[in-house]
Amino acid sequence: MNKQTEIKKELAQLPILEYAFLKPGEIIFSKEVRDLCEGNSCGMYHKSWACPPAVGSVESCMEKCYGYDQAMLFTTATAVASSFDMKGWMQARLEHEALTDQVAAVFRRYDKDALILSTEGCTVCKKCTYPDAPCRFPDRMYPATEGYGIMVMQMAPALNIRYNNGANTVTYFSMVLFNE
């Protein structure tokens, strides 16, 4: 049995909404996505090891991703009270990050050097050590897909994954890159 078959068996036990395997060459990178980071649209630019500029240039992120054989994009979707329910969004994000930890554990059993990318910067520490000291939890700090310049909005439909799961839901994405 190959690694991907074993991984799929383990993933079936987790509350992942949708996922797809792809080759790193299929990842859509965009300087415009990184420009949003640099415009500090989420407020994390230059504040976290998981975000730019700490993650490196888009070109260095691309190079890192292309160094892997395979990738997997996965989602969760959570109902929220309304599109303005920021508390609901944050709770859904924390649940997504907890699932990302579980997915990371699965992949790291097969490839200890798997690269895990997730949402909007790291949530592990209340205050990040960036840039004054090294990350306290590098195995649990997952760089943001957007910070890597990855255009999830365009990738999702190409992989038959819903980007939007309807009114009053929040959908989060994570990506794993690994070697077979």
Side-chain angles (χ1 to χ4, degrees), residues 106-121:
V106 168
F107 279 89
R108 287 181 172 157
R109 279 195 286 279
Y110 297 94
D111 178 0
K112 67 179 180 56
D113 297 319
L115 173 63
I116 315 299
L117 304 175
S118 197
T119 62
E120 304 171 6

Side-chain angles (χ1 to χ4, degrees), residues 145-157:
T145 53
E146 295 87 354
Y148 261 55
I150 295 174
M151 181 67 85
V152 173
M153 186 185 291
Q154 286 181 354
M155 286 179 57

Side-chain angles (χ1 to χ4, degrees), residues 28-165:
I28 301 170
F29 291 92
S30 166
K31 175 79 170 88
E32 288 76 25
V33 173
R34 176 57 77 82
D35 290 345
L36 290 174
C37 290
E38 291 176 13
N40 213 15
S41 63
C42 75
M44 294 303 295
Y45 184 79
H46 213 292
K47 293 183 179 173
S48 168
W49 286 108
C51 295
V55 296
S57 67
V58 173
E59 294 75 21
S60 69
C61 291
M62 290 171 68
E63 189 175 311
K64 213 178 281 183
C65 291
Y66 293 153
Y68 288 91
D69 299 329
Q70 292 286 325
M72 185 197 77
L73 184 70
F74 71 94
T75 66
T76 59
T78 304
V80 292
S82 74
S83 59
F84 302 105
D85 178 11
M86 298 313 284
K87 186 177 179 182
W89 281 57
M90 181 51 75
Q91 182 60 39
R93 181 168 174 234
L94 293 174
E95 291 169 11
H96 179 84
E97 294 303 325
L99 176 62
T100 300
D101 284 335
Q102 293 177 290
V103 171
V106 168
F107 279 89
R108 287 181 172 157
R109 279 195 286 279
Y110 297 94
D111 178 0
K112 67 179 180 56
D113 297 319
L115 173 63
I116 315 299
L117 304 175
S118 197
T119 62
E120 304 171 6
C122 186
T123 59
V124 176
C125 300
K126 281 190 184 236
K127 171 126 177 60
C128 185
T129 59
Y130 181 82
D132 302 319
C135 177
R136 290 184 286 259
F137 302 101
D139 288 346
R140 293 183 52 217
M141 183 278 298
Y142 310 132
T145 53
E146 295 87 354
Y148 261 55
I150 295 174
M151 181 67 85
V152 173
M153 186 185 291
Q154 286 181 354
M155 286 179 57
L159 296 168
N160 293 315
I161 292 177
R162 290 181 302 263
Y163 183 77
N164 184 329
N165 284 282

